[in-house]
Amino acid sequence: MKHRLLSATLLSLSLLGGLSATYAAQPAHTPIYLDANRPIEERVEDALSRMTLEEKVAMCHAQSKFSSAGVPRLGIPEIWMTDGPHGIRMEKLWDEWADAQWSNDSCTAFPALTCLAATWNPTMANTYGQAIGEEARYRNKAVLLGPGVNIYRLPLNGRNFEYMGEDPFLASKMVVPYIHGVQRNGVATCVKHFALNNQEIDREFVNVIVDDRALHEIYLPAFKAAVQEGGTWAIMGAYNRYKDQFCCHNQYLLNDILKGDWAFDGVVISDWGGTHNTQQAAYNGLDIEMGTWTDGLAWSWSNAYDKYFLAQPFLIQLKKGEIDEKVVDEKVRRILRLTFRTTMNPHRPYGSFATEEHALTARRIAQEGIVLLKNEGNLLPLDPKQPRKILVVGENAKQMMTSGGGSSELKVKHEVLPWEGIQNYFGDQAQISYEEGYSLNPAVNRHALRQQAAEAAAQADVVLFVGGLNKKDNQDCEASDRRSYELPYEQNELIAALRQANPNLVVILISGNAVAMPWVDQVPTIVQAWYGGSEAGNALASILAGEVNPSGKLPFTFPVRLEDNAAIALEAYPGNGKDVEYKEGIFVGYRWHDRQKIEPLFCFGHGLSYTTFEYGPARLNRRQMNPRDSITLSVSVRNSGSRSGAEVVQLYLCDKKSSLPRPLKELKGFRKVVLEPGEEQTVTFTIDAQALSYYDDRQQTWVAEPGQFEAWVGASSEDIRSRASFELTDE
Ligand code: BGC
């Protein structure tokens, strides 16, 4: 009764107060945090000052599979995230991994990041980022979960296809423009998986033991570039451990290096289910916890979001004063900053989705990334105007490669398969037939399939074998590694049989990893076609037909044997079920091959063209520089063949003498040039002290040691065309 009286009194008071009371309750002007003309930091502080502790904590953990809460009371929206990194994933149910079955979420699939890296074209990375950013924006996503820049340490890692190869310089130069392209749309990139997530076996817990030099010279540079040059607004912690702490709440990686040394001002998001402890999550650099309990690692009750480490348990400890409110404020500042950069940026564009332009972009990237590994006798290109019998063999000619693979799976508006692309390009004049040749199903008699394909091959003018790996478990797929370096499903036997039946054999490999090629000397023509996305088949066929001249270069080494890889040779993979020690240190990929003098099957940076390029001598503007100085190196490149084409001119630097061991050579520059027949261009590189530096673990800093250096310019890491030497002097 008392209560009712009180409300009645309040009501009449407010009625009496009339309009003036109503107006008095309204702020005189737009609150600072809503005023997009104010600096973001002022908006952040203003919003933060209006929030309750509960509202703050709600922002620090998931509220559904792919979103975290906003502050509805203040009109601050939720944050929606999406995989990544090759297209915008289909919508999932609120609290289940099942697809939401929307009818309007079929996206453009862009080529896998390995293919992008193989373009060696940073402008292409920017175009990729712009297009995928537009798709993310159209779908109202604030955060794109990608790109991935974990270094390719060995060819068994099931997720190598989602990354950008074995070289930190190449990955750095490619990731930065990708980020710029995405974030121009008001969509954050979430660069992943920070750090040392280089295998899928035991990924949820394995503790990586790596020396400081390898950490700083090999595994961190692409992340550092993503932060300092790319300005990424988010980073995803990795599942694994480093220094016995989970990377999603890791004092060394997140607080000391990322937020300390690199001054990262964005949000650290956990990998899905990568959070393990409230105190560590609170103090060791994590900002948003995603996926706990619901990731397949540890199933539990549904809608468990309140039980997350950064949910109720965090709130309780904050309320008890066991955790200082400053800790949550620091996280919320970062999250608000992200929101103001994305969903609450009124100037961001609207985006576009699954357009023809994006399909064309996907096609161009795939075309530029395809690598011509071998072309003996110039079997390629095949003139599409010439009538001939073409036999296509192989399951990968007809296999969709945009589904499967784990979190990078996509529901696509269309995917042109190799079989369709070949028909599009050659269908007018050629007679095209198909043989399966091998089967994924072990119950099928592969011998019979092989024989049938070989018989058909004997009748054809040319055989296009489309094989390689796929997106199934233990192939190129998240959560498992490959079990073998060999091609699966008896493809080696099939290739041998086809070659015997017909010498005009083109082997086309669809994969994100190197594979063994015991038949390499017998097969005249080999094409590495990666996972090409929506336009994969058209891109491939345009290369086969010579409409596009191949210009991709390998972003990682193909060893002859698995044992030629450092991690395997040193028995430093996959670890003992608890730790994995990166015993090879800085000698990853070509650095190892150089050191051990092991000839690769196909080297880092390798890729042929239908034309030829001649290099002039490398010319330095000076032969001496000091640490605050730089010198330039120029080299002319001429298209000496009869087709227009693009060449990737590569600069490697060699330290002739140093107080710490160094790789024989390291990539420190590259430039892609497009040249008409007979055309010549001069490419100029700047060499500064950073390019000459190594990470000195004794002093915990980068050092450029005075002495003699050599600059090698080449068409690949092995095909060095010209050298010049110079000296770095003291200050
Ligand atoms: C993967 C991440 C992915 C996340 C969300 C995790 O399993 O490691 O790369 O972004 O799931 O799907």
Side-chain angles (χ1 to χ4, degrees):
M1 187 64 190
K2 215 178 187 181
H3 174 76
R4 228 195 272 154
L5 262 182
L6 187 64
S7 15
T9 320
L10 279 177
L11 180 70
S12 52
L13 271 179
S14 74
L15 284 175
L16 277 175
L19 281 178
S20 58
T22 317
Y23 275 123
Q26 291 279 333
H29 49 75
T30 315
I32 293 173
Y33 78 96
L34 286 178
D35 184 349
N37 295 320
R38 305 290 282 248
I40 278 191
E41 294 312 310
E42 274 182 35
R43 299 175 68 193
V44 165
E45 291 310 321
D46 181 53
L48 186 68
S49 71
R50 296 166 191 266
M51 289 170 65
T52 65
L53 191 59
E54 283 77 4
E55 285 167 338
K56 290 176 188 175
V57 169
M59 285 188 119
C60 298
H61 60 90
Q63 60 164 6
S64 77
K65 282 274 179 286
F66 283 100
S67 70
S68 59
V71 192
R73 183 178 61 85
L74 298 177
I76 295 175
E78 312 165 315
I79 295 178
W80 279 89
M81 313 176 190
T82 177
D83 287 299
H86 308 140
I88 308 310
R89 198 176 182 183
M90 61 290 241
E91 297 296 327
K92 297 283 168 180
L93 291 176
W94 184 265
D95 189 36
E96 284 181 46
W97 283 113
D99 299 354
Q101 310 278 1
W102 285 19
S103 56
N104 56 356
D105 59 351
S106 301
C107 69
T108 306
F110 298 93
L113 291 190
T114 335
C115 179
L116 175 64
T119 69
W120 291 58
N121 184 349
T123 306
M124 208 40 120
N126 189 251
T127 307
Y128 189 129
Q130 172 72 34
I132 195 172
E134 283 168 0
E135 299 233 339
R137 169 65 189 99
Y138 186 92
R139 288 267 300 278
N140 263 321
K141 307 300 180 190
V143 179
L144 176 70
L145 303 171
V149 288
N150 293 98
I151 289 292
Y152 186 113
R153 181 174 175 248
L154 79 163
L156 299 187
N157 180 8
R159 287 192 96 170
N160 277 338
F161 72 98
E162 290 188 64
Y163 304 140
M164 300 209 199
E166 74 184 25
D167 185 78
F169 184 84
L170 176 64
S172 301
K173 291 294 168 208
M174 298 302 286
V175 73
V176 168
Y178 180 115
I179 294 168
H180 291 160
V182 172
Q183 294 194 161
R184 201 177 295 137
N185 291 286
V187 172
T189 50
C190 183
V191 180
K192 65 194 189 183
H193 308 90
F194 189 67
L196 300 163
N197 182 182
N198 307 99
Q199 65 187 52
E200 291 297 282
I201 292 185
D202 297 343
R203 69 165 175 173
E204 304 90 355
F205 55 82
V206 73
N207 177 48
V208 177
I209 301 174
V210 62
D211 63 64
D212 284 353
R213 282 195 69 197
L215 180 72
H216 288 273
E217 290 186 28
I218 305 292
Y219 296 101
L220 292 186
F223 288 105
K224 185 177 182 184
V227 170
Q228 296 192 330
E229 296 165 50
T232 185
W233 295 331
I235 289 265
M236 186 188 292
Y239 281 131
N240 49 282
R241 292 180 226 225
Y242 168 64
K243 290 197 196 256
D244 269 318
Q245 264 181 16
F246 284 104
C247 293
C248 289
H249 31 75
N250 189 295
Q251 171 65 27
Y252 314 98
L253 292 174
L254 300 180
N255 284 346
D256 298 348
I257 296 176
L258 179 67
K259 293 182 173 177
D261 297 348
W262 301 349
F264 174 63
D265 71 356
V267 175
V268 174
I269 299 173
S270 77
D271 201 343
W272 268 233
T275 310
H276 300 267
N277 176 299
T278 296
Q279 281 276 328
Q280 286 191 19
Y283 285 107
N284 290 357
L286 180 65
D287 300 309
I288 302 182
E289 175 187 9
M290 297 298 294
T292 305
W293 310 104
T294 55
D295 58 356
L297 307 178
W299 290 96
S300 85
W301 47 85
S302 57
N303 282 305
Y305 306 104
D306 283 349
K307 301 186 172 61
Y308 276 32
F309 296 102
L310 284 185
Q312 283 298 324
F314 187 35
L315 183 63
I316 290 167
Q317 294 189 35
L318 281 159
K319 281 192 167 159
K320 283 191 191 153
E322 288 166 9
I323 295 176
D324 197 308
E325 191 163 345
K326 281 197 200 113
V327 172
V328 69
D329 285 354
E330 169 60 13
K331 297 183 196 305
V332 172
R333 274 194 187 94
R334 289 170 180 273
I335 299 166
L336 287 168
R337 202 175 285 138
L338 178 89
T339 298
F340 292 136
R341 285 167 163 168
T342 57
T343 41
M344 289 182 80
N345 167 9
H347 305 299
R348 68 186 175 143
Y350 293 103
S352 55
F353 191 63
T355 59
E356 218 165 287
E357 284 82 358
H358 288 174
L360 281 174
T361 297
R363 188 194 297 191
R364 279 173 48 222
I365 298 161
Q367 286 168 329
E368 264 206 42
I370 290 173
V371 181
L372 180 62
L373 291 175
K374 186 176 173 187
N375 194 20
E376 230 170 58
N378 294 334
L379 182 55
L380 290 183
L382 300 167
D383 182 355
K385 289 198 259 352
Q386 195 179 314
R388 68 178 112 215
K389 285 192 211 150
I390 298 179
L391 174 69
V392 178
V393 184
E395 127 100 9
N396 278 359
K398 296 192 171 181
Q399 174 73 42
M400 274 186 86
M401 292 294 182
T402 50
S403 58
S407 58
S408 64
E409 63 167 358
L410 296 172
K411 178 168 122 193
V412 284
K413 188 173 164 200
H414 75 274
E415 178 176 350
V416 181
L417 303 172
W419 168 245
E420 291 161 355
I422 290 165
Q423 281 178 325
N424 292 344
Y425 273 77
F426 296 95
D428 277 353
Q429 295 297 327
Q431 262 184 51
I432 313 173
S433 52
Y434 176 76
E435 287 291 335
E436 210 178 336
Y438 68 90
S439 170
L440 275 54
N441 182 353
V444 171
N445 183 339
R446 290 191 181 133
H447 183 73
L449 282 181
R450 208 151 52 227
Q451 225 166 10
Q452 198 176 312
E455 276 163 28
Q459 308 302 315
D461 296 313
V462 61
V463 181
L464 304 176
F465 171 70
V466 190
L469 307 177
N470 56 39
K471 296 286 190 66
K472 306 210 178 327
D473 287 351
N474 299 114
Q475 303 289 326
D476 284 326
C477 185
E478 180 179 343
S480 63
D481 283 351
R482 294 167 66 197
R483 295 199 177 110
S484 150
Y485 186 45
E486 302 299 317
L487 281 173
Y489 322 122
E490 299 178 24
Q491 290 181 70
N492 285 341
E493 290 82 343
L494 173 62
I495 292 169
L498 292 173
R499 171 63 187 79
Q500 223 178 8
N502 193 327
N504 294 330
L505 171 63
V506 181
V507 169
I508 297 152
L509 295 171
I510 313 285
S511 79
N513 257 316
V515 298
M517 301 185 200
W519 33 261
V520 67
D521 293 331
Q522 277 81 55
V523 170
T525 305
I526 308 171
V527 176
Q528 177 61 37
W530 315 114
Y531 296 108
S534 283
E535 288 286 314
N538 284 333
L540 172 65
S542 72
I543 295 273
L544 300 176
E547 181 191 88
V548 173
N549 193 348
S551 65
K553 301 270 187 177
L554 292 180
F556 50 81
T557 309
F558 278 52
V560 176
R561 308 167 314 152
L562 186 58
E563 304 77 65
D564 294 346
N565 169 273
I568 302 292
L570 299 172
E571 296 181 15
Y573 163 87
N576 59 11
K578 180 182 172 289
D579 302 311
V580 56
E581 186 180 351
Y582 291 7
K583 292 184 192 157
E584 70 282 10
I586 55 173
F587 296 99
V588 174
Y590 65 88
R591 290 163 169 82
W592 172 257
H593 282 258
D594 280 346
R595 182 175 197 219
Q596 303 300 105
K597 300 195 173 51
I598 303 170
E599 227 179 277
L601 179 61
F602 293 106
C603 69
F604 175 76
H606 171 74
L608 304 174
S609 164
Y610 296 148
T611 187
T612 48
F613 298 99
E614 268 172 20
Y615 285 60
R619 293 185 200 285
L620 294 165
N621 67 336
R622 278 180 294 122
R623 299 244 164 223
Q624 266 192 354
M625 63 178 272
N626 70 48
R628 283 169 295 113
D629 225 6
S630 62
I631 53 172
T632 60
L633 178 146
S634 303
V635 62
S636 66
V637 191
R638 197 172 75 86
N639 181 342
S640 48
S642 55
R643 281 172 182 265
S644 74
E647 171 68 323
V648 180
V649 182
Q650 301 165 36
L651 169 71
Y652 295 87
L653 295 181
C654 325
D655 192 347
K656 299 314 285 178
K657 192 162 162 272
S658 125
S659 45
L660 289 179
R662 296 201 69 181
L664 173 72
K665 62 177 187 287
E666 292 186 282
L667 182 76
K668 292 295 171 182
F670 62 89
R671 194 77 40 78
K672 194 163 199 171
V673 283
V674 181
L675 297 170
E676 294 305 317
E679 191 186 344
E680 181 173 308
Q681 256 189 53
T682 298
V683 172
T684 301
F685 298 103
T686 301
I687 302 172
D688 59 14
Q690 181 57 39
L692 306 178
S693 303
Y694 59 80
Y695 188 83
D696 188 336
D697 47 355
R698 301 161 305 189
Q699 304 177 48
Q700 295 282 308
T701 186
W702 289 87
V703 170
E705 205 175 49
Q708 286 296 322
F709 289 82
E710 271 184 20
W712 296 2
V713 177
S716 80
S717 64
E718 294 285 300
D719 185 4
I720 302 298
R721 306 287 181 92
S722 170
R723 296 162 203 244
S725 51
F726 61 95
E727 188 191 355
L728 177 70
T729 61
D730 280 325
E731 286 278 345

